[in-house]
Amino acid sequence: MPELVFDQVLEQAGFRPTRQRRAVYEHLEAMHGHPTAEDVFHAVRIELPRISLATVYKALESLVESGVAQKMSGADGTAHFESRVDEHFHARCRACNRIVDVEALPEFHRCVDKIRTAGFTIERARLELTGICELCARQHHN
Ligand SMILES: [Zn+2]
Ligand SMILES: [Zn+2]
């Protein structure tokens, strides 16, 4: 997301687009998967050595509130973040806690539309699948 757009989105949500928030967003965007606040903290610290974990956590929360990031909770209650905000689902491995993205199928959207026409206002559709990931399953068999 270009810096100007980022600044505007945050300001519209009532947040000051500080250098720290911007850095947290940039690192989150560059990271693969669904890092925890601590993962983001370790990455941002290289650029901003004096930043604290609490600041990173608060920055992540403001990004989520601004709609430029998503937050989800893992099995152990730890919050995971991602800069992807389009509708997609998550499959979580109960062995290694890894979260994998799952694309929403058109059938799912049709199902949501049907519920919508039944008079229910859906603000957000979320689906979380739990199981064993490919890597863990392979390890188990070896
Ligand atoms: Zn796994
Ligand atoms: Zn995701």
Side-chain angles (χ1 to χ4, degrees), residues 40-58:
V40 179
F41 169 62
H42 289 301
V44 177
R45 211 160 50 157
I46 299 162
E47 189 187 329
L48 304 170
R50 291 167 76 177
I51 201 163
S52 70
L53 176 59
T55 303
V56 170
Y57 197 84
K58 272 184 259 168

Side-chain angles (χ1 to χ4, degrees), residues 93 95-96 98 133 136:
C93 176
C96 69
R98 200 159 67 95
C133 79
C136 289

Side-chain angles (χ1 to χ4, degrees), residues 12-56:
Q12 265 164 24
F15 294 103
R16 265 200 315 130
T18 59
R19 190 181 163 207
Q20 291 179 329
R21 287 190 176 123
R22 170 94 203 148
V24 167
Y25 178 74
E26 274 172 359
H27 283 278
L28 178 67
E29 208 178 22
M31 287 171 93
H32 293 290
H34 303 79
T36 63
E38 216 155 305
D39 295 332
V40 179
F41 169 62
H42 289 301
V44 177
R45 211 160 50 157
I46 299 162
E47 189 187 329
L48 304 170
R50 291 167 76 177
I51 201 163
S52 70
L53 176 59
T55 303
V56 170

